[in-house]
Amino acid sequence: MNQASLNPFRPTRWEHHRDGQQLIWYSDLADTLSGEKSFYVSGSRGSGKTTLLRSICWEDLARNPSLRIQRTLAEAENIGCYVRFPDHLTSSLASIDWRRLYPDSPMPELELHRYFSLLVELTCAERAITACHELRLLSFASFRASDEIAFCDELLREYPQLKHFTSHETMAVKTLPDVSRLLRAVSREINQAAGRGTVRELNQRLPPREPGEFLAYVSAKLSGIIRLKSSRGDRRTGFKFCLDDCEVLDAQQQISINTLVRICKQPISWVVSYVGSQYEDSLTYIRNQTLSDADRRVELLDNRSAESFRELCQAVVSLRLLFEVSERLRTRKRVSHVSQFFNLRRRLGTRTVNEMMDIMSKRSMRFLAKTLRSSAETLNREFPEQFNRGDKDDTLPFYQAYVLLHWQAQAGLSSFKTDISAIDEGQLLRRAALLKTAADEAWLRRKQRAALLHFAASIGFKSIPLAGEDIIVSLADGSIRDFLEILGFVYEAFARRHRLDTTNQESLDQFATSGSQIASSVQTDGIYAASAAYHVGVGARAEKEFDVVLRLIEGLGHYTSLLQSDPNDPSVLGRAERGISELTDIRYDQIVNRPANLALTQFWCSSVYSAPISLA
């Protein structure tokens, strides 16, 4: 029987650990979310929404080893309660015809809001009550037994209809676990009634209340009796309800959530998480009132800065390897911070566009490669301070020279030619002298990726020597899962190069703790293997129209390549800094049936090729 490979980057769910304990990084954004203000968190799949929410919730703060070495529950401003909606919501709720159920109601959607919001409130209240009980057992919080009994009695006096949902009318509800079981029973009844079509009958048994009232009552009572323990003494706390996967809600349910957020006040605050733009984040059921920044802040994870994403990649890979290496190494290796266990910059190094063009020019026998090297040397000699920023001292300004050789300065900033001549070489220094301002330098920098791709296509270079921390982080395009996928293949290429057994713990330890930089060629092999694996994965999908999706990806990759690197198109270098390129009057069958260069289809279409494609 073959042993499984100990690839520390698989599966690519970024919080995964093979022992079942999730790995969670406590980021600066998590610190912001844990405060009193409500937040809406939007991001694509793999951007880290779920892990971000879990990092501020009590279960992981109290029990997760990877989180506890970064943050303690005593430092939390509020008790975070995690709720994942697909686990607490029946799909039947979305199909109820509220106008038919309540034909005399002037606003049937308010009946939907009252019914659905109670389900949300019951779920959140049950999580808050369970948190208080468990935190007391774990000695993170304290409250008196008399206060617990008083809370249970007051709750049932305020909402006596809840007693109808106990298994016996005389059953005592005296402790927090008793109340939790009761609220779960009511939630199950609400979901079942939606599926059975008995909503109207159940509504008559539910406690009369206004939306938001029940959760506000429970949270205020709990906040009054529970005290969180900290180094500065016991203190009062609020509750942060973290709702995950809210894109599964229909539009009316989303508006109901917005309304709860709009009317909440301390000790309640919210974090609402959803995929992309699949959420209505402003409308409410309150007349003439919508959600604004005064009510909540919106955090777009897909818009995080490149440096912020790089820090996240650094933290995630360090956590992965810290908990994958042997216990002996974990305790022996000392680092200033957990995120520095595996230093990406030191282990992957850096490789700029000019360094990649340098490698390609050395390997190519084409006349263009020799001309470019000669021009770069001239440019470096005559303008030693102007064109070497961001590169090592001995790196020549290849992309600057390439752009200037193709630039038709007399025709404007967007005018370029497809080939170069002796005249262009002679005018190189004159064109360089025209770039005097910071704006001119920025214009030239925005051309570097286009220059790289155009040069590679012109000399027929099929495999660009991609390597370095910046390149790999850039290729991941904001997705931690894609970043881990690339590193997984880099690890396998590393093991092959050094003849390591990937089923052996010692091999993993060697990779994680070696002080030497991973060879650039190993990184290049891993990057291209990850791209090829993505393409194979698309082709192997079992969906009904997977072949159409595959051809679409191939077609988009092909047309993106043409738009960004076609050596016969004079507008390629001119359009490099534009945000979006459009294809007009293109039939679908033309796209999906054209042959494509599949290398880097997934990663490069959205990052190195720099411009997404919209079909018009």
Side-chain angles (χ1 to χ4, degrees):
M1 182 176 179
N2 293 329
Q3 287 183 280
S5 172
L6 295 179
N7 191 321
F9 306 107
R10 305 276 171 73
T12 57
R13 286 186 64 86
W14 68 312
E15 68 275 12
H16 170 79
H17 185 254
R18 64 179 182 228
D19 291 339
Q21 185 67 64
Q22 291 187 326
L23 302 179
I24 296 179
W25 165 245
Y26 192 87
S27 64
D28 291 340
L29 179 56
D31 210 29
T32 303
L33 262 57
S34 66
E36 294 185 356
K37 193 174 184 64
S38 295
F39 285 84
Y40 280 30
V41 178
S42 169
S44 57
R45 300 192 187 279
S47 59
K49 301 183 299 301
T50 296
T51 306
L52 180 63
L53 265 60
R54 295 195 67 90
S55 70
I56 63 174
C57 291
W58 73 269
E59 294 99 328
D60 287 288
L61 282 170
R63 295 170 174 155
N64 188 290
S66 65
L67 188 56
R68 291 184 64 182
I69 62 177
Q70 307 168 63
R71 184 80 169 178
T72 65
L73 187 60
E75 299 174 89
E77 294 187 41
N78 297 283
I79 297 176
C81 300
Y82 179 79
V83 177
R84 182 176 178 269
F85 260 117
D87 299 336
H88 303 277
L89 184 73
T90 173
S91 58
S92 303
L93 276 170
S95 58
I96 298 175
D97 186 349
W98 293 93
R99 187 169 297 279
R100 181 184 61 81
L101 283 179
Y102 297 96
D104 298 329
S105 173
M107 296 186 69
E109 61 270 19
L110 294 184
E111 294 297 331
L112 175 153
H113 174 41
R114 183 174 287 108
Y115 189 83
F116 174 73
S117 65
L118 180 61
L119 175 61
V120 175
E121 293 175 64
L122 288 168
T123 302
C124 292
E126 185 272 328
R127 289 304 178 93
I129 292 169
T130 299
C132 293
H133 175 69
E134 293 291 334
L135 290 175
R136 179 175 62 174
L137 294 180
L138 294 169
S139 299
F140 287 106
S142 63
F143 53 89
R144 295 179 298 183
S146 58
D147 289 334
E148 179 179 8
I149 295 174
F151 166 78
C152 299
D153 291 342
E154 291 173 12
L155 178 64
L156 293 182
R157 281 199 301 270
E158 184 73 20
Y159 300 100
Q161 290 82 356
L162 290 175
K163 296 179 181 178
H164 301 158
F165 295 89
T166 59
S167 54
H168 301 286
E169 290 292 333
T170 59
M171 178 181 175
V173 180
K174 295 296 184 182
T175 65
L176 293 187
D178 293 337
V179 177
S180 293
R181 283 191 293 271
L182 175 58
L183 298 187
R184 286 195 297 270
V186 181
S187 298
R188 284 193 291 267
E189 290 272 5
I190 290 176
N191 273 311
Q192 288 177 3
R196 296 170 178 173
T198 57
V199 169
R200 185 162 184 165
E201 293 80 356
L202 178 64
N203 243 341
Q204 297 173 359
R205 299 169 54 205
L206 294 173
R209 77 283 159 208
E210 288 303 312
E213 174 190 330
F214 181 80
L215 184 59
Y217 179 88
V218 171
S219 299
K221 290 293 183 182
L222 290 175
S223 180
I225 65 174
I226 189 172
R227 295 295 180 267
L228 275 184
K229 297 181 179 181
S230 70
S231 58
R232 293 171 293 180
D234 295 355
R235 57 184 176 84
R236 295 187 62 166
T237 183
F239 296 91
K240 173 79 70 170
F241 298 107
C242 302
L243 310 183
D244 200 7
D245 290 347
C246 289
E247 71 275 2
V248 305
L249 304 176
D250 66 21
Q252 299 305 313
Q253 293 167 351
Q254 292 174 2
I255 295 174
S256 182
I257 295 291
N258 294 345
T259 307
L260 292 177
V261 174
R262 178 65 178 80
I263 64 177
C264 80
K265 58 184 179 181
Q266 282 298 312
I268 295 174
S269 57
W270 303 82
V271 179
V272 179
S273 167
Y274 49 92
V275 171
S277 59
Q278 301 175 34
Y279 191 90
E280 169 50 62
D281 62 1
S282 59
L283 293 180
T284 71
Y285 283 122
I286 306 172
R287 187 183 297 275
N288 297 327
Q289 288 190 2
T290 59
L291 283 180
S292 66
D293 287 343
D295 307 305
R296 53 87 181 101
R297 274 177 51 189
V298 179
E299 290 287 343
L300 306 176
L301 298 187
D302 292 339
N303 290 351
R304 58 164 60 102
S305 67
E307 179 58 25
S308 176
F309 181 65
R310 192 204 68 78
E311 292 175 358
L312 181 61
C313 291
Q314 170 69 67
V316 170
V317 70
S318 290
L319 274 179
R320 275 291 182 102
L321 291 172
L322 176 63
F323 284 88
E324 289 286 352
V325 298
S326 60
E327 185 67 26
R328 174 180 55 84
L329 282 178
R330 188 181 311 163
T331 55
R332 190 183 70 184
K333 185 174 181 179
R334 300 295 181 184
V335 291
S336 59
H337 194 273
V338 61
S339 66
Q340 296 302 313
F341 184 81
F342 185 89
N343 190 295
L344 282 177
R345 181 60 55 90
R346 185 173 66 248
R347 295 301 310 280
L348 299 179
T350 59
R351 178 172 283 185
T352 64
V353 165
N354 279 334
E355 289 178 85
M356 288 186 278
M357 295 181 75
D358 185 11
I359 294 171
M360 290 190 291
S361 68
K362 289 178 179 177
R363 294 179 183 175
S364 176
M365 301 301 293
R366 298 284 184 93
F367 177 75
L368 174 61
K370 297 178 181 179
T371 300
L372 176 61
R373 177 167 290 276
S374 173
S375 299
E377 290 172 348
T378 300
L379 204 60
N380 187 59
R381 183 174 59 253
E382 298 298 328
F383 296 89
E385 301 296 328
Q386 184 174 352
F387 294 115
N388 66 348
R389 297 178 184 177
D391 287 296
K392 299 174 184 176
D393 292 339
D394 58 346
T395 302
L396 297 175
F398 284 96
Y399 84 77
Q400 296 94 330
Y402 192 81
V403 172
L404 293 174
L405 286 172
H406 288 79
W407 182 35
Q408 301 299 286
Q410 69 280 4
L413 289 176
S414 298
S415 181
F416 294 86
K417 58 189 299 188
T418 59
D419 51 15
I420 58 177
S421 63
I423 297 177
D424 297 307
E425 292 183 71
Q427 293 184 349
L428 176 67
L429 297 179
R430 183 180 302 175
R431 295 172 186 177
L434 295 175
L435 304 180
K436 300 177 180 179
T437 67
D440 294 333
E441 293 181 8
W443 167 81
L444 190 58
R445 282 196 306 273
R446 291 194 293 268
K447 304 295 185 185
Q448 58 182 306
R449 287 182 173 179
L452 170 68
L453 297 172
H454 195 278
F455 177 59
S458 297
I459 63 176
F461 215 90
K462 299 298 184 183
S463 180
I464 299 174
L466 305 170
E469 178 203 30
D470 292 338
I471 294 297
I472 291 180
V473 171
S474 175
L475 293 178
D477 195 31
S479 171
I480 284 292
R481 294 182 186 179
D482 287 348
F483 171 73
L484 291 174
E485 185 74 18
I486 297 173
L487 282 191
F489 281 99
V490 169
Y491 171 71
E492 292 175 355
F494 176 89
R496 287 194 301 270
R497 176 68 60 87
H498 295 277
R499 300 181 179 179
L500 300 178
D501 181 1
T502 58
T503 65
N504 191 312
Q505 181 68 49
E506 293 180 0
S507 299
L508 195 155
D509 290 349
Q510 179 177 337
F511 174 83
T513 59
S514 172
S516 60
Q517 181 177 314
I518 299 172
S520 297
S521 58
V522 169
Q523 297 181 49
T524 301
D525 291 343
I527 289 170
Y528 277 90
S531 179
Y534 172 78
H535 179 254
V536 171
V538 172
R541 295 179 69 89
E543 281 84 353
K544 183 178 180 180
E545 301 295 338
F546 77 91
D547 57 325
V548 176
V549 175
L550 179 61
R551 292 199 304 275
L552 178 61
I553 291 176
E554 292 177 351
L556 290 177
H558 177 74
Y559 278 102
T560 303
S561 177
L562 289 177
L563 287 169
Q564 301 294 341
S565 59
D566 183 5
N568 299 314
D569 184 352
S571 66
V572 164
L573 291 172
R575 75 163 70 94
E577 58 192 274
R578 298 179 184 175
I580 296 177
S581 300
E582 293 187 357
L583 302 179
T584 58
D585 299 325
I586 300 295
R587 295 198 315 273
Y588 178 77
D589 61 335
Q590 287 180 315
I591 295 177
V592 299
N593 289 315
R594 286 292 299 271
N597 178 5
L598 300 178
L600 306 177
T601 298
Q602 176 196 18
F603 302 115
W604 281 64
C605 277
S606 56
S607 56
V608 176
Y609 284 147
S610 77
I613 299 178
S614 64
L615 300 179

